[in-house]
Amino acid sequence: MMIREDCAALDAADKLAGCRARFALPAGTIYLDGNSLGAMPANVPARMKVAIEQEWAEGLIRSWNDADWYPAPQRTGDRIARLIGAGQGEVIVADSTSVNLFKVLVAATRMRPGRGVILAERTNFPTDVYIAESVAEMTGCELRCVDPEEVMSAIDENVAIVSLTHVNYKTGKRYDMEAMTRRAHEAGALVVWDLCHTAGAMPVYLNRCEVDFAVGCGYKYLNGGPGAPAFVFVASRHLEHVRQPLSGWHGHAQPFAFTHEYAPHAGIDRMLTGTAPQLGLISLESALEAFDGVDMEALREKSVSLGDLFITLAEQELAGLGFTLATPRDADQRGSQVSLRHAEGYAIMQALIARNIIGDFRAPDILRFGFAALYVRHVDIWDTIAALKDIVTSEAWNTEAFRTRKSVT
Ligand SMILES: *Cc1c(COP(=O)(O)O)cnc(C)c1O
């Protein structure tokens, strides 16, 4: 039997424990939703104050040059590159994940003329499927959505692109990026990986796995702030061949030449479209300092430790209360979240949030708990499981207020 003191001992031995002070976390709150909106790094407000009061208010248009606003998408992309195993000049920050996915899917399809299939997965985050549907319609391809276990065997010589999300948003199940990419390449297809639930949560080795394209989110484990811009990765070997469809002026070889003919930039800048959302970008750039000096393998080790602890304690404390585990038990098949199913999941999560323990809910019955290893502690896991146990045994969830669905779950 584990007790709370065992969890405190794990925290005392945690080499990353000091990183928690890099975040401004509300007192008395346990935050297990960094997979939806990352916590705010403590250095961000001061940076934003300068950005707003000096660079914007005082510097005005001059700040594109004087405050180095203009190269921020490249600079921030290079910072993210270290976290995802990419090289300098292969990652750029732009737009949202949905928009970047659209750009890379069209670009990749254009690189595989004569192949008619975009292979995707049924249980993916809906926006990924919606975008792929639209790309299929525009490019004359067929979108083939299969179950996660069937993806590998569905890759054949008609497939132009295999488009997958590395870690599933609901179940937390993770694909073997290297094996899947290799299989796709053997069949002559290109791969697009969505790293929304991966980037900042664990190390990724895009170049070691020979990945072609990737996209990901700035506001989840990268902690960039609500609606922070996303990123896009293009392997350097593909850069000169990439023609993305949203050919705006910021992707031009010489945006300020204002020529009538579009000529793509030679490098990763060609993935840009229009002007960056500069304040959101500055917020993301400064938030990334929370990763300074952090060994991503050590981060992963702690994330696994938190996930294993959650599963162990759920089995020890919640047996017979109607919960089932929706996430693989094997850490090698998991991302950085653990999900539980429960028929009353929505109301239970609302009751938990009322106690300042914040996870989230995904229909129909999934309670999600994300473990951002930079700031989540082992005792937080203990306290969360203890609260879940109390909420279910006392039926504290069973009120009108907790059962009523809000618009954002
Ligand atoms: C969070 C998430 C998105 C979000 O896309 P936006 O365009 O930023 O709203 C897309 N795909 C996956 C898999 C996600 O988890």
Side-chain angles (χ1 to χ4, degrees), residues 19-32 37-42 223 372 374-377 380:
C19 293
R20 185 174 161 86
R22 298 180 178 184
F23 291 85
L25 293 160
T29 298
I30 293 176
Y31 195 60
L32 303 180
L37 174 66
M40 188 182 72
N223 312 307
L374 289 180
Y375 54 82
V376 174
R377 301 166 300 191
D380 296 333

Side-chain angles (χ1 to χ4, degrees), residues 35 64 73 109-110 120 141-142 152 160 264-265 275 316 342 392 397:
N35 50 311
W64 285 105
T109 310
R110 285 171 167 174
C141 286
E142 171 205 343
M152 195 65 110
H265 189 279
T275 309
Q316 177 183 308
H342 194 288
V392 176
W397 58 269

Side-chain angles (χ1 to χ4, degrees), residues 101-174:
L101 188 63
F102 176 78
K103 290 188 283 195
V104 298
L105 284 177
V106 173
T109 310
R110 285 171 167 174
M111 289 167 64
R112 285 293 177 273
R115 288 182 176 234
V117 175
I118 298 172
L119 182 64
E121 191 231 284
R122 239 188 275 282
T123 66
N124 203 345
F125 192 93
T127 200
D128 296 51
V129 179
Y130 304 156
I131 294 284
E133 260 170 16
S134 191
V135 171
E137 189 186 332
M138 288 175 50
T139 58
C141 286
E142 171 205 343
L143 174 63
R144 193 180 291 164
C145 283
V146 300
D147 288 332
E149 309 74 46
E150 294 167 355
V151 176
M152 195 65 110
S153 57
I155 301 174
D156 61 30
E157 67 287 349
N158 295 318
V159 172
I161 312 167
V162 180
S163 178
L164 296 171
T165 295
H166 188 216
V167 174
N168 184 278
Y169 76 110
K170 265 192 193 171
T171 62
K173 190 172 179 349
R174 178 162 58 111

Side-chain angles (χ1 to χ4, degrees), residues 26-330:
T29 298
I30 293 176
Y31 195 60
L32 303 180
D33 213 3
N35 50 311
S36 246
L37 174 66
M40 188 182 72
N43 63 316
V44 171
R47 176 68 189 94
M48 294 309 286
K49 191 170 156 61
V50 171
I52 290 170
E53 295 179 0
Q54 295 174 26
E55 296 172 6
W56 179 11
E58 301 289 330
L60 292 168
I61 192 97
R62 293 168 290 193
S63 288
W64 285 105
N65 290 312
D66 298 350
D68 268 337
W69 282 357
Y70 188 67
Q74 297 80 351
R75 200 167 61 224
T76 310
D78 282 340
R79 247 180 197 277
I80 294 171
R82 174 181 87 82
L83 307 180
I84 58 176
Q88 301 292 286
E90 290 184 314
V91 181
I92 199 156
V93 171
D95 304 309
S96 70
T97 301
S98 304
V99 173
N100 287 331
L101 188 63
F102 176 78
K103 290 188 283 195
V104 298
L105 284 177
V106 173
T109 310
R110 285 171 167 174
M111 289 167 64
R112 285 293 177 273
R115 288 182 176 234
V117 175
I118 298 172
L119 182 64
E121 191 231 284
R122 239 188 275 282
T123 66
N124 203 345
F125 192 93
T127 200
D128 296 51
V129 179
Y130 304 156
I131 294 284
E133 260 170 16
S134 191
V135 171
E137 189 186 332
M138 288 175 50
T139 58
C141 286
E142 171 205 343
L143 174 63
R144 193 180 291 164
C145 283
V146 300
D147 288 332
E149 309 74 46
E150 294 167 355
V151 176
M152 195 65 110
S153 57
I155 301 174
D156 61 30
E157 67 287 349
N158 295 318
V159 172
I161 312 167
V162 180
S163 178
L164 296 171
T165 295
H166 188 216
V167 174
N168 184 278
Y169 76 110
K170 265 192 193 171
T171 62
K173 190 172 179 349
R174 178 162 58 111
Y175 281 105
D176 182 337
M177 179 181 280
E178 191 165 18
M180 193 63 83
T181 303
R182 195 183 316 120
R183 173 74 195 96
H185 287 170
E186 279 164 8
L190 295 166
V191 292
V192 174
W193 285 104
D194 182 327
L195 304 179
C196 276
H197 290 276
T198 314
M202 69 187 77
V204 198
Y205 299 103
L206 291 180
N207 280 335
R208 192 189 299 170
C209 297
E210 298 183 16
V211 169
D212 302 293
F213 299 95
V215 296
C217 202
Y219 54 77
K220 292 173 180 165
Y221 291 99
L222 296 180
N223 312 307
F231 66 86
V232 51
F233 159 87
V234 179
S236 57
R237 66 183 174 282
H238 293 319
L239 268 175
E240 64 177 308
H241 311 292
V242 165
R243 283 173 49 240
Q244 64 105 338
L246 298 178
S247 46
W249 70 305
H250 278 252
H252 194 279
Q254 292 178 293
F256 288 88
F258 293 105
T259 55
H260 197 69
E261 293 74 36
Y262 185 76
H265 189 279
I268 189 71
D269 296 43
R270 68 174 57 196
M271 298 310 289
L272 297 177
T273 298
T275 309
Q278 198 63 33
L279 295 176
L281 176 54
I282 288 169
S283 164
L284 172 60
E285 183 181 23
S286 56
L288 289 168
E289 289 176 27
F291 288 92
D292 281 357
V294 172
D295 170 7
M296 293 305 284
E297 289 291 345
L299 186 85
R300 173 64 185 165
E301 224 174 275
K302 180 172 174 194
S303 154
V304 167
S305 170
L306 293 167
D308 284 347
L309 177 66
F310 190 98
I311 293 171
T312 302
L313 291 178
E315 284 172 347
Q316 177 183 308
E317 302 292 320
L318 304 179
L321 297 180
F323 290 100
T324 53
L325 182 64
T327 301
R329 183 173 306 271
D330 175 5

